[in-house]
Amino acid sequence: MGATRTTAGATAGATLKDATAIAGIGQTPFAKRLPESEKTLACRAILAALDDAGIAPSEVDAFASYTMEETDEVEVAKAIGAGDVTFFSKVGYGGGGSCATVAHLAAAVATGQASVGVAWRSRKRGSGPRPWTNTRAQLPTPAQWTRPYGLLRPADEIGLLARRYMHEYGATRDHFFNVALACRNRANQNPAAIMYDRPLTREMYMTARWISEPLCLFDNCLETDGALACVVVSAERARDCRQRPVYVHSAAQGLPAQHHGMVNYWNDDPLTGPSWAAARRLWKTADFGPQDVDVAQIYDAFTPLIPLSLEGYGFCARGEGAAFTEGGALEIGGRLPLNTGGGGLSEAYVHGFNLITEGVRQLRGTGTAQVPGATTCLVTAGEGVPTSALLLRS
Amino acid sequence: MTQMDTTTDTTADATTDTTADATTDTTAETTADTATAASGGSEESDGLLAPVPDEDGAPFFAYAARGELRVQCCADCGEPRFPPRPCCPHCQSFDCLWKKVSGRGRIWSYVLPHPPLLPAYAAQAPYNVVLVELTDAPRIRLVGNLVAAADAALNSVPPERIRIGAPVKAAFHATDGGLTVVRWLLERP
């Protein structure tokens, strides 16, 4: 594997494949409320990630973040003591941008635009405001077609898709429970998770209050304060860092034809969302396929996104995503262990960045719910909005 | 051509030609301006959010105010498109017209929101939000509410009456803020 890796300063025809690696990860505690500001939390997570890699902050020359981030790279670079920065990028569409931050840094490093990149997410969603609680906020233009009718929250928008999915394919609430349970079981093994030591039962799920029928409380992700970061360097550099390198094998973004953010209802086929577009490119540039993925970190703002993504990323055929979750398939030891840190549903909802760091931990062999011998991992960003995904390998 | 190829299939089989009473009123832009001007606020007095139409969407609401459900179509290739936009994703023409459709459709999906919600919506929760697929243009799906009468509450149809595939017809509700929104009635109440 190592002999064929592309070097930084790539030549024509070079690919992203294994040219770069995630060399460091860092995070703050997760909680419903943290006292520190988003900027402070961002700095803590970034410095922790650099320390994990054994790289001095003054060497950082690239930053990547995604929208709905309060702190920008100017503030972060100044605070942590970065040197001259030669690459910075901000990816749109909130949770759809998580994996793209790593992809942008990988591209920058692989093409010689920078040498040490930092991606991060800092959020105070647990204690901060939510847009749909503000009656007086001006509706964004696309919302003229949805919001006045009471499709107010992401849970309502995805719930409408979920209802159709259940109707078309016989998916049931038990399938969604399978997803919630797998995430909760993993969180129960992860002391850093908000839902550590808080088991979920089927009875709790089935009797929980509705949020937007057919979605109940446990179909929804947490609201969390916290920050995370990771460091991207060339594959060569990573091999000299403190931790075992986790290579960026393939990356893609996805914005399908006729997409409309969060309400993909005007696509020909609303049940094939952005994951389908990202997946085609992701697998095209990879040396392995879905059957070779040892562990998956799939964006789980809502449980129905998992069956939809399982279909989009090719783990099963169209309409089979719900059935895929049966028989413990998403648990440790199952066909495709899922969200092994607990995911957005049960570890922390920080717009999916915890899925990236958990993917890294799994390929280092240091997960709190470790998949034995895992060498390949799929990480995805928010489905329902223009998205992104990564294939990582050790 | 590449761009055309990748977008051609998205609403390819929408049946624009089934609208026997299709009209080609291109004066919509004039009335649209009125709708835009009237939509200054994002709130109406019952607290529900009012649409804030943009330049592209304004004709839809202007026609709704006349009790007409119309869909933006390409004036050159005839393909309908939604949401409204400046040019045709199929042939890239900037010429459009607004075709009157029958107002009939079927429920493609629905959801029943429960609190926490904005206060005016919480007061009627659980209410329904339906996605209606138009009979005349199956790829055009409109978000709306299934109600017992045009001006009835958002929760005026019992949830057990709502099912995917149920035939519905458009009704028009004039909001207190001056805009008219499209609502939906069961064909067989």
Side-chain angles (χ1 to χ4, degrees), chain A residues 145-147 151-164 212 257-273 384, chain B residues 10-11 82-83 108-111 129-133 137-144:
Chain A
W145 308 110
T146 57
R147 211 62 70 75
L151 210 59
L152 300 176
R153 308 159 299 181
D156 306 319
E157 296 165 328
I158 298 301
L160 201 145
L161 277 183
R163 173 89 66 183
R164 178 70 190 193
S212 197
Q258 298 298 310
H259 176 69
H260 198 92
M262 283 311 293
V263 286
N264 194 44
Y265 309 150
W266 301 299
N267 190 310
D268 232 17
D269 181 355
L271 296 181
T272 58
Chain B
T10 53
T11 59
F82 188 85
W108 190 86
S109 188
Y110 66 99
V111 72
V129 186
V130 294
L131 187 62
V132 173
E133 197 164 57
R139 293 303 184 272
I140 307 290
R141 306 182 184 101
L142 300 176
V143 176

Side-chain angles (χ1 to χ4, degrees), chain A residues 132 135-136 138-139 141 144-145 148-150 153 160 163-164 167 211-213 258 265-268 270, chain B residues 9-10 43 49-50 53-54 82 84-85 108-112 114 116 118 121 127 129 139 141 143 145 164:
Chain A
W132 55 91
T135 315
R136 301 198 173 273
Q138 181 82 357
L139 290 178
T141 293
Q144 68 187 301
W145 308 110
Y149 308 100
R153 308 159 299 181
L160 201 145
R163 173 89 66 183
R164 178 70 190 193
H167 171 81
I211 299 298
S212 197
E213 295 178 59
Q258 298 298 310
Y265 309 150
W266 301 299
N267 190 310
D268 232 17
Chain B
D9 59 347
T10 53
E43 247 185 310
L49 299 169
D54 62 356
F82 188 85
R85 68 202 69 168
W108 190 86
S109 188
Y110 66 99
V111 72
L112 302 172
H114 290 244
L118 293 175
Y121 292 88
Y127 56 89
V129 186
R139 293 303 184 272
R141 306 182 184 101
V143 176
N145 304 108
I164 289 175

